[in-house]
Amino acid sequence: MGAQLSSQADTKAPQETLRFHPEAKGAQVRLDAQRCTARRNATFHDGIVFSQRPVLPGERVAVRVVWHEGGWCGGLRVGFTRLDPARVSAPSLPPFVCPDLELQSPTWAAMLPEGCALAGDVVCFWVNRRGRLFVRVNSGPRLLLRKGVLMGAPLWAVMDVYGTTKAIKLLDPTASAFPSTVPRALIDESLQPEATAGEECAICFHHAANTCLVPCGHTHFCSYCALRVFRDLAKCPVCRWEIKAVVPAWGPPILRTGEGLLMQVAN
């Protein structure tokens, strides 16, 4: 794909403030002069961006969602890659980081649960020395997005300004004041509504089944259990399909568009 992997000799990069790489970016991405803000110009894809330097294990990458665009289903993707963006040919970048860039290169990324990256939210993500990718939104709980990131070589942060996420801004995670709110999608289990007969979650058998798994459409789980399954397994317990998103069961109907993107459509 016109890119080269980094060598072990590249690991000692200066720890300068993180910026977006000026050249390695999706066809729809526009950067500001400081390379702190990345905006997707049109459509819902071709929004891949990279950090300009490798990120250390445990180092936090923080971005604020500055523009949330309705009409799409699914938003920001975050992760890490061994691709050196200085050696990436921008026209060769695929439209999506998940799964396209992951299939073409040693890249590990994941989408955030639906509703966890709204305008004003701060998304902080990192990989630990055991190769586990974590994320925290605002002051919410730490979430494990995926395992198996291969360590031992330089890793660059990679983000996909996708779907409902129209623009993001890099922040200094040590100097920025993060919002104290917790996304509703990460609501505590104790706040879940109790179920009436025949409506209980198929996992906990206590809270109301109020979510829909995308794309399979199963609606047997409360939001707390559905997000745990999404985080830990990413497969529907009923049919074993891969889970792409968790959405409210009572929301607008979910349709598949001609472009293959799941989109919410008003009644």
Side-chain angles (χ1 to χ4, degrees), residues 16-17 35 67 123 143-144 156 167 176 215 267:
E16 57 186 311
T17 301
R35 306 202 322 272
W67 189 352
V123 177
L143 296 178
L144 175 63
W156 283 260
S176 302
N267 291 325

Side-chain angles (χ1 to χ4, degrees), residues 76-171:
L76 180 66
R77 277 92 160 126
V78 299
F80 294 91
T81 181
R82 286 189 174 185
L83 287 177
D84 182 347
R87 301 172 182 173
V88 169
S89 171
S92 69
L93 283 172
F96 312 107
V97 70
C98 302
D100 297 1
L101 192 64
E102 289 185 300
L103 293 174
Q104 297 178 11
S105 64
T107 297
W108 302 267
M111 62 184 294
L112 300 183
E114 194 76 15
C116 286
L118 303 179
D121 285 342
V122 173
V123 177
C124 186
F125 64 98
W126 66 97
V127 62
N128 68 10
R129 295 185 181 278
R130 298 175 61 188
R132 296 187 173 187
L133 172 60
F134 292 97
V135 68
R136 175 174 281 122
V137 182
N138 298 339
S139 298
R142 182 186 70 173
L143 296 178
L144 175 63
L145 286 184
R146 65 173 301 166
K147 305 174 183 178
V149 179
L150 294 181
M151 309 303 289
L155 291 170
W156 283 260
V158 60
M159 292 141 277
D160 193 348
V161 187
Y162 171 86
T164 59
T165 304
K166 185 75 170 180
I168 57 175
K169 181 178 181 179
L170 278 169
L171 304 176

Side-chain angles (χ1 to χ4, degrees), residues 4-12 54 82 84 87 152-154 156:
Q4 299 181 32
L5 303 185
S6 63
S7 66
Q8 189 66 34
D10 296 330
T11 55
K12 295 184 179 180
R82 286 189 174 185
D84 182 347
R87 301 172 182 173
W156 283 260

